[in-house]
Amino acid sequence: MHIVICIKQVPDSAQIRVHPVTNTIMRQGVPTIINPYDLFALEEALRLRDAYGGEVTVLSMGPPMAEDSLRKALGYGADRAVLLTDRYFAGSDTLATSFALSQAIAKVGETFGPPDIVFTGKQTIDGDTAQVGPGIAKRLDLQQLTYVAKIGSIDLGAREIEVERRCEGGTQMLKSRLPCLITVLEGTNEIRRGSFEDALCAARSQIVKWTAVAAGIEDLTRCGLRGSPTVVKRVFAPTARAEKAEQIETAEKTLRDAADELIAAIFTRQPPLEHELAFNNGA
Amino acid sequence: MSTANREPARPAAGRAGIKKELPDRFKDYRHVWVFIELERGQVHPVSFELLGEGRKLADKLGVQLAGVVLGPPGEATWYAVAEAFAYGADLVYIAEAPLLADYRNEPFTKVMTDLVDTHKPEILLLGATTLGRDLAGSVATTLQTGLTADCTELDVDTDGSLAATRPTFGGSLLCTIYTLNYRPQMATVRARVMPMPQRTDKPVGRIIQHKVSLAEDEIVTKVLGFLPDSQSAKANLAYADVVVAGGLGLGAAENLQLVKNLARAIGAEHGCSRPLVQKGWMPADRQIGQTGKTIRPKLYIAAGISGAIQHRVGVEGADLIVAINTDPTAPIFDFAHLGIVTDAIRFLPALTEAFTRRLSPHSRDKLAS
Ligand SMILES: Cc1cc2nc3c(=O)[nH]c(=O)nc-3n(C[C@H](O)[C@H](O)[C@H](O)COP(=O)(O)OP(=O)(O)OC[C@H]3O[C@@H](n4cnc5c(N)ncnc54)[C@H](O)[C@@H]3O)c2cc1C
């Protein structure tokens, strides 16, 4: 079984600060990580390979330094890493990104064998759109299985797969066909610690690097800013509210008095609420 | 490749982002559409919230607001049509077929893109639910148009373009995104970000039926079953009138009981900030914020929560925000309406007790007299 998994190197957004005056992102010194959601997908891919045999190819589109993330993925045990890197990709929105990745996946298929499953994470933590996975599926005509919490049986002979997919209010049990694209939900599995051998291999492995042309992309106008129908017009900080919270003083007061005072203040601002709450309590 | 027959996404001329004259093939794209999400006979409330927002956009543009209902033949589907009218749609496109009974990407994408190709909307809005995101991504790719995810604000620009604002970089910034040279302009919006519009007594409008030209055996993915969430209360968090939440300031998993006690005393739902989910102190569907649920209660009480931007974006729609925090400089006091600088672990029991006292039947009689 050949599994391709797409990962993205992202800034650790927990550590991002916004410049208070210019409203720009201060990236200096912000470490980059593999998009955390992608790690669940990677682990799922590795488990399937371990269970069914085959190979896992990790693919990333990004600047040359995204190589770090690919090397990390090799350290977890992926068999091969491909980096799609070219200045033509700069400024890609989700449509342009899914175009480039789908072309690269097609090329991976030609070069290393067609994939049975393409994995992506549920979404990225910097873009948060959850759109790239569906975009790739559509372009490559793969069955699209998003928000998958569990992969059940795979019948490689019959080319069938069963998955559990989270949806509003419950879980859907689906039976589909290979090849498919699966976006994996967080918390589906525990991410392994790579073995010592894997770490050694990762350090020595050659990462396949493709430019747009090398990946077989002929129409460069479909990549990057030029291939992106969406345009960011304005970036700004959320407006601060004019007044700060009205404070309930606590000095020289019992907790009981402070609580009564807070409740009085709540019901002064929201008078009907008192009756609703009392009513809800069956009082 | 299924999208091969489409023209590639390419700006009308020159650099993307510069508004050129809209290509001729898009000139007759008109009207605002809202996808009415119907799953297992239930309309997701986000669809009504979107109709409320769609109404404003349609009025600004001077065009009609349409709902799009895809579902199995039967009462539930027609009920969704009536509800779409009641929440403001001028017309509803309806596609009925047994194969639209349970959501699956393939048939929904096919029918939706057919509808768009036939009737040409200029704006198409969907809920950012699991269903909406799954569908929106494939529809936008098939149509080769722009899609903006998880918008928190929608507006129409002076030149009639959709201005879709969404959080970026983990919520630290907002950005406004346009799809200038393609149609439809697509956006998803999370549940509870937009207010629920008034339900009106306008239960009729124009209905346009769309014939589904697709057979079950053409669809690869099959639904084997559905397992509803056992704790249905979990799903109520986003729609609760009163929510009490705890954060890392509570210090230990046991102290979450204090939050639950208060919630129980006032008939509220309880929630938490993200670190508590990461620590395994609470299940993920209790998380409030950018990567959790957006809530819009009448009253939100946050105990031991600092008010990071990713939390803030999930609670800003609350009518009244009350913060309990030991740190007077905590960012939550910048957007809370009422605050108390005190130890939540000691204060929560006192607050629970005080609420119980105040809301007891005895005191209610006093209040009435
Ligand atoms: C991509 C991304 C997505 C995220 N999504 C979300 C999200 O959806 N929801 C979310 O909540 N967070 C989210 N976060 C995390 C967010 O940035 C904050 O880290 C988180 O909200 C902080 O949680 P907290 O306020 O509970 O903890 P802390 O920031 O540790 O704050 C604890 C607060 O408790 C106070 N405190 C301490 N002791 C007491 C006491 N005894 N009594 C009262 N107060 C006390 C402290 O003064 C402090 O203000 C996200 C982060 C990233 C990077």
Side-chain angles (χ1 to χ4, degrees):
Chain A
M1 182 152 63
H2 186 196
I3 299 170
V4 175
I5 150 150
C6 301
I7 66 170
K8 184 180 182 188
Q9 187 173 54
V10 295
D12 185 352
S13 56
Q15 303 194 37
I16 282 189
R17 295 289 170 268
V18 176
H19 192 283
V21 178
T22 60
N23 274 341
T24 48
I25 295 281
M26 302 195 286
R27 287 172 195 258
Q28 284 96 330
V30 176
T32 52
I33 51 174
I34 297 180
N35 174 42
Y37 293 120
D38 299 348
L39 291 175
F40 297 106
L42 176 59
E43 175 61 31
E44 210 55 45
L46 296 173
R47 281 183 192 203
L48 289 183
R49 177 206 55 194
D50 295 348
Y52 293 91
E55 288 188 323
V56 171
T57 303
V58 248
L59 168 66
S60 188
M61 175 178 118
M65 69 173 204
E67 194 182 319
D68 296 347
S69 289
L70 287 171
R71 223 168 266 291
K72 241 171 240 149
L74 290 172
Y76 284 115
D79 301 286
R80 174 186 307 114
V82 178
L83 177 62
L84 185 61
T85 186
D86 202 314
R87 64 192 172 82
Y88 286 112
F89 300 131
S92 296
D93 72 355
T94 54
L95 195 76
T97 301
S98 67
F99 170 73
L101 284 172
S102 62
Q103 296 276 312
I105 291 167
K107 181 80 183 181
V108 165
E110 283 168 30
T111 317
F112 306 108
D116 301 286
I117 302 178
V118 176
F119 277 106
T120 72
K122 180 182 83 167
Q123 61 195 59
T124 59
I125 61 165
D126 57 344
D128 263 334
T129 69
Q131 287 167 196
V132 171
I136 295 172
K138 189 84 245 163
R139 289 171 190 281
L140 294 175
D141 226 346
L142 304 172
Q143 287 302 306
Q144 172 176 324
L145 306 165
T146 54
Y147 302 101
V148 167
K150 194 174 163 196
I151 295 175
S153 62
I154 295 181
D155 185 334
L156 283 173
R159 311 284 296 151
E160 280 180 351
I161 180 166
E162 288 184 18
V163 300
E164 289 180 14
R165 168 178 189 269
R166 283 292 303 166
C167 59
E168 306 294 314
T171 303
Q172 248 183 348
M173 261 77 76
L174 297 174
K175 182 190 195 124
S176 193
R177 194 189 291 157
L178 302 177
C180 63
L181 177 134
I182 295 179
T183 82
V184 178
L185 214 57
E186 69 273 24
T188 43
N189 50 38
E190 190 91 29
I191 291 138
R192 69 185 58 191
R193 298 178 55 133
S195 71
F196 184 62
E197 286 95 324
D198 286 334
L200 281 181
C201 274
R204 276 192 256 119
S205 291
Q206 198 63 32
I207 286 172
V208 181
K209 286 193 197 116
W210 285 340
T211 59
V213 170
I217 300 174
E218 281 158 23
D219 188 354
L220 295 175
T221 65
R222 298 180 74 175
C223 301
L225 214 50
R226 282 200 293 171
S228 300
T230 63
V231 184
V232 177
K233 264 287 176 83
R234 200 161 75 92
V235 179
F236 56 104
T239 43
R241 256 232 333 250
E243 1 86 81
K244 281 202 134 202
E246 176 197 328
Q247 287 290 345
I248 303 296
E249 278 307 320
T250 50
E252 289 163 43
K253 224 178 268 169
T254 62
L255 284 174
R256 179 186 165 123
D257 287 350
D260 281 337
E261 203 179 307
L262 177 60
I263 292 170
I266 289 172
F267 291 145
T268 304
R269 285 169 179 256
Q270 284 263 46
L273 196 61
E274 176 160 16
H275 298 281
E276 283 170 39
L277 293 186
F279 184 76
N280 281 343
N281 281 298
Chain B
M1 213 158 79
S2 57
T3 54
N5 56 340
R6 303 261 168 189
E7 291 220 9
R10 183 186 294 135
R15 220 174 72 83
I18 308 297
K19 171 111 180 164
K20 299 281 160 186
E21 213 188 331
L22 197 63
D24 278 340
R25 66 194 154 113
F26 293 134
K27 283 217 169 106
D28 52 346
Y29 278 62
R30 202 149 272 119
H31 306 308
V32 176
W33 285 15
V34 170
F35 172 68
I36 308 296
E37 180 171 332
L38 180 71
E39 212 167 359
R40 283 171 305 282
Q42 291 278 322
V43 177
H44 196 291
V46 70
S47 306
F48 302 140
E49 295 160 15
L50 283 177
L51 282 171
E53 197 61 22
R55 183 75 266 163
K56 290 183 212 153
L57 301 177
D59 290 348
K60 269 197 182 171
L61 289 165
V63 300
Q64 294 202 310
L65 173 67
V68 180
V69 175
L70 314 187
E75 219 173 291
T77 304
W78 284 96
Y79 181 71
V81 173
E83 286 297 288
F85 288 131
Y87 281 100
D90 299 311
L91 70 151
V92 171
Y93 296 96
I94 170 173
E96 284 177 286
L99 51 80
L100 297 173
D102 288 292
Y103 176 74
R104 282 173 297 171
N105 177 270
E106 219 175 336
F108 274 67
T109 301
K110 174 80 172 62
V111 174
M112 196 71 201
T113 48
D114 275 358
L115 273 163
V116 168
D117 282 340
T118 315
H119 301 284
K120 305 182 187 330
E122 61 182 316
I123 293 175
L124 171 55
L125 308 176
L126 301 92
T129 56
T130 51
L131 190 165
R133 281 183 169 206
D134 185 278
L135 179 61
S138 334
V139 169
T141 310
T142 311
L143 298 170
Q144 298 279 285
T145 190
L147 167 60
T148 307
D150 273 5
C151 300
T152 50
E153 218 183 300
L154 298 173
D155 202 355
V156 169
D157 210 3
T158 42
D159 68 356
S161 307
L162 177 69
T165 299
R166 71 180 303 261
T168 181
F169 281 101
S172 344
L173 288 175
L174 296 169
C175 62
T176 304
I177 293 178
Y178 287 71
T179 298
L180 294 174
N181 304 311
Y182 305 90
R183 292 294 179 268
Q185 306 161 86
M186 290 180 61
T188 62
V189 175
R190 295 174 52 157
R192 300 304 267 160
V193 168
M194 308 293 180
M196 184 68 116
Q198 274 292 315
R199 199 176 178 286
T200 61
D201 287 322
K202 187 185 131 305
V204 286
R206 204 147 63 90
I207 292 173
I208 297 173
Q209 285 185 269
H210 179 81
K211 204 170 157 305
V212 176
S213 54
L214 194 64
E216 178 60 46
D217 55 19
E218 294 172 69
I219 303 164
V220 171
T221 299
K222 307 287 178 198
V223 181
L224 301 178
F226 179 76
L227 209 76
D229 287 332
S230 50
Q231 273 172 285
S232 60
K234 283 181 190 168
N236 287 336
L237 180 57
Y239 287 88
D241 275 341
V242 185
V243 175
V244 184
L248 259 193
L250 292 177
E254 307 86 85
N255 291 332
L256 286 171
Q257 196 53 46
L258 304 176
V259 167
K260 291 183 195 165
N261 289 349
L262 173 57
R264 182 159 343 104
I266 59 176
E269 282 292 333
H270 67 274
C272 64
S273 63
R274 181 158 95 156
L276 274 55
V277 172
Q278 287 170 331
K279 283 178 175 289
W281 294 357
M282 269 217 201
D285 38 18
R286 291 278 176 192
Q287 182 188 319
I288 298 167
Q290 200 206 341
T291 46
K293 293 216 158 66
T294 301
I295 59 170
R296 226 184 159 82
K298 292 177 181 162
L299 172 63
Y300 176 55
I301 302 176
I305 293 179
S306 59
I309 185 71
Q310 295 88 1
H311 189 80
R312 177 179 174 167
V313 295
V315 302
E316 251 171 342
D319 293 338
L320 185 62
I321 300 172
V322 177
I324 307 166
N325 197 304
T326 42
D327 175 7
T329 68
I332 194 154
F333 291 125
D334 296 339
F335 60 93
H337 304 91
L338 284 171
I340 183 160
V341 178
T342 189
D343 178 358
I345 299 162
R346 293 178 55 228
F347 188 66
L348 279 172
L351 188 61
T352 306
E353 210 246 351
F355 261 121
T356 312
R357 235 184 303 123
R358 175 125 179 186
L359 297 174
S360 73
H362 173 66
S363 57
R364 204 166 58 131
D365 290 345
K366 262 201 328 217
L367 206 91
S369 66

